Amino acid sequence: MQIASVSKPVAAGDDRETGPRPGQAATPITQRLLTDTGDAANAALSDSAKRRLVIGKSPTPIVPPPESGLETILFADERTRIVSTDQQPWKLICALEIEAPWGSFVGTGWFAGPRTVITAGHCVFDKKQMGGWADKITLTPGRDRERRPFKSFTSERFSGINAWIQRQDPDYDIAAIHLDEDVFPASEVFRVGALPDAELQDYLINVSGYPASPGGGTELYWAKNRIRAVEPRRIYYDVDTSGGQSGGPAYIFPDENSRPLVVGIHAYGVGGTPASMNLRVNSAPRIIPEVVTQIQAWLAGPAD
Amino acid sequence: MPDERILHHGRVTDRHGAGVANALVYVAQGTAGTPEIAVKCDHAGHFRLALPPGHFQIEARSVAGTVGSTEIEVSKGDERIAITIDE
């Protein structure tokens, strides 16, 4: 299967449709592919981050799974506000202020490269909600209310995946925001990885983002639990999230000495979970090998 | 999977009926999948929200942090979404 990048056009758009077709069967992931395999030597976690973040796998959920319902917040809100946002890995997560033809929006992104921020596709392009491509996005890494430890950056250059841009396929709801300057060294940013089902299952997962409530899109929140299910294009987890956290990283730590590895891009609340799964969980488009390759291409060069 | 969302119009007001500028609106619960993005109201409290058919609880949070909510049943037409924040 092939996917392709579609960048925000600077002139006339290119409407050719390529890549996965509607109804095309999803193939199981058997290949393990990472953007890089570097360790955490230059991105060591603080003691407080180590105390919070979940590492490795668990055969059981951290909190009991709910029996039924439809909430995005699962039972009591388990999210924790992070205030040490100038530290790893919190500093790599960005509050997004999005300006588009049909209004303004709040979302989340994260650094996968020195000048490349990954987010949900619908944070840069949404024909039905935003009226098309975003005009401009202001992103603030490590924002904590009015504190901006790494300043803010503005971009008008975005890329998405053709299956999202052309037909809003939620399994490909992934995009990049291109900056004009390096913000963090390559040795510090999130890694991105496609892992086979058997390896991904039961990992403890961390989900971070800037929700509208609490925090008004200016406070970083984090929650944890276990991956509940994996499908060829989605991962599902019992982690509290809400509006504004779209685009946030869903990440694992294989061990204490590894850099965080993003395996999904948070995008949907529990309403996005198929009824046939009979699970009350949130979900993210899964990082698959084709997406790793696409992100590597976005990291390698600026969009036109 | 077809994208069945259609755009709905709404307004966030306070207890006196005045628009709440810059309130953030988002889906808190729903029977269908929606992107977890938040919509910022304009200076008069107006917003637009794309939703697929289904039943939804929509919340709005003012800049001061007060939250209001409403529930709507969405079919194929443009539903007017009214949310009152008690502040």
Side-chain angles (χ1 to χ4, degrees), chain A residues 181-251:
Chain A
E181 59 184 297
D182 290 0
V183 180
F184 297 110
S187 58
E188 293 186 5
V189 298
F190 277 107
R191 295 184 298 158
V192 179
L195 305 183
D197 290 9
E199 184 175 354
L200 196 54
Q201 196 83 45
D202 293 341
Y203 251 114
L204 295 170
I205 194 159
N206 302 272
V207 180
S208 304
Y210 284 88
S213 184
T218 68
E219 297 173 354
L220 179 62
Y221 282 82
W222 158 86
K224 64 180 188 292
N225 212 318
R226 185 182 65 124
I227 293 175
R228 284 293 302 279
V230 295
E231 286 192 328
R233 299 288 175 268
R234 289 277 190 110
I235 60 173
Y236 298 90
Y237 39 77
D238 324 343
V239 176
D240 294 326
T241 61
S242 64
Q245 291 191 237
S246 267
Y251 54 106

Side-chain angles (χ1 to χ4, degrees), chain B:
Chain B
M1 181 188 308
D3 183 358
E4 297 183 301
R5 293 177 300 159
I6 57 174
L7 201 59
H8 305 275
H9 293 72
R11 190 176 188 216
V12 179
T13 56
D14 64 18
R15 70 175 79 163
H16 307 294
V20 179
N22 299 322
L24 294 174
V25 176
Y26 51 93
V27 176
Q29 301 180 26
T31 56
T34 53
E36 286 214 310
I37 198 167
V39 181
K40 183 182 272 191
C41 293
D42 68 12
H43 67 282
H46 295 290
F47 66 89
R48 293 187 274 197
L49 185 62
L51 295 170
H55 184 85
F56 298 92
Q57 180 184 345
I58 312 296
E59 290 187 354
R61 182 189 189 274
S62 72
V63 173
T66 308
V67 175
S69 71
T70 190
E71 292 193 18
I72 62 165
E73 191 74 34
V74 173
S75 55
K76 298 287 186 185
D78 176 2
E79 304 287 340
R80 296 285 158 171
I81 306 170
I83 305 176
T84 302
I85 292 180
D86 190 16
E87 64 174 19

Side-chain angles (χ1 to χ4, degrees), chain A residues 86-108:
Chain A
D86 56 350
Q87 298 179 14
Q88 282 279 5
W90 320 118
K91 68 180 185 180
L92 305 175
I93 302 162
C94 309
L96 303 186
E97 298 167 87
I98 303 157
E99 294 178 30
W102 291 353
S104 301
F105 306 86
V106 167
T108 300

Side-chain angles (χ1 to χ4, degrees), chain A residues 72 108 119-123 164 169-174 207-208 234-235 237 241-250 264-270 272 282-286, chain B residues 33-37:
Chain A
T72 295
T108 300
T119 185
H122 63 259
C123 288
W164 174 258
D169 184 334
D171 290 343
Y172 296 90
D173 193 352
I174 297 164
V207 180
S208 304
R234 289 277 190 110
I235 60 173
Y237 39 77
T241 61
S242 64
Q245 291 191 237
S246 267
I265 299 171
H266 179 71
Y268 296 93
V270 292
N282 301 329
S283 68
R286 180 176 174 182
Chain B
T34 53
E36 286 214 310
I37 198 167

